[in-house]
């Protein structure tokens, strides 16, 4: 028995074949196993258009003022182990020397 891929929409492992299509019984999503999977509409992208994921390392592409302090996050600062969250500032992270911060994905690039 061949292993079928998980549903790209809900990640269900119970997909089954129906002719040339694969069907997910949990969310009713249908897809062709040969077509290129497009990123979901809630995916987060960096300034260069690369998709970001939890645990990625990113680099800041612009000096960013830290609200409420006189500190600045300098260009080229590497941020490790990011976490994606919902909202306007879609990256939650810790920056050495500054602490916990939220960043906008448009001001970072994937390393």
């Amino acid at each position: 028995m061949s292993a079928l891929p998980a549903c790209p929409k809900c990640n269900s492992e119970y997909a089954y074949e129906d002719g040339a299509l694969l069907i997910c019984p949990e969310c009713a999503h249908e897809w062709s196993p040969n077509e290129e999977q497009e990123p979901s509409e809630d995916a987060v992208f960096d300034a260069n258009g690369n998709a970001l994921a939890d645990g990625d390392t990113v680099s800041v592409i612009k000096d960013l003022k830290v609200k409420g302090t006189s500190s600045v996050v300098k260009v080229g600062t590497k941020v490790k182990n990011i976490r994606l969250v919902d909202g306007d500032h879609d990256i939650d992270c810790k920056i050495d020397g500054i602490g916990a911060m939220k960043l906008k994905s448009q001001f970072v690039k994937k390393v």
Side-chain angles (χ1 to χ4, degrees):
M1 180 176 204
S2 66
L4 296 174
C7 175
K9 192 170 186 181
C10 72
N11 291 326
S12 170
E13 60 187 35
Y14 301 112
Y16 62 91
E17 289 182 281
D18 185 21
L21 294 177
L22 294 175
I23 300 174
C24 175
E26 293 183 14
C27 70
H29 180 65
E30 298 180 2
W31 74 99
S32 172
N34 298 331
E35 74 183 32
E36 187 71 26
Q37 296 297 324
E38 50 201 55
S40 64
E41 61 268 354
D42 59 344
V44 177
F45 299 96
D46 69 357
N48 295 332
N50 299 319
L52 296 174
D54 286 343
D56 282 347
T57 300
V58 296
S59 175
V60 177
I61 62 167
K62 175 183 175 182
D63 282 347
L64 301 173
K65 295 179 183 175
V66 179
K67 197 173 199 175
T69 69
S70 60
S71 301
V72 176
V73 178
K74 295 286 189 182
V75 173
T77 302
K78 284 190 180 179
V79 182
K80 297 178 184 176
N81 200 18
I82 65 169
R83 191 169 47 124
L84 301 178
V85 294
D86 291 332
D88 187 32
H89 291 74
D90 42 15
I91 297 174
D92 213 7
C93 62
K94 287 184 182 176
I95 298 177
D96 292 337
I98 295 176
M101 279 192 75
K102 292 190 175 215
L103 299 173
K104 290 187 177 184
S105 59
Q106 65 194 26
F107 298 122
V108 299
K109 67 177 181 177
K110 195 171 184 176
V111 175

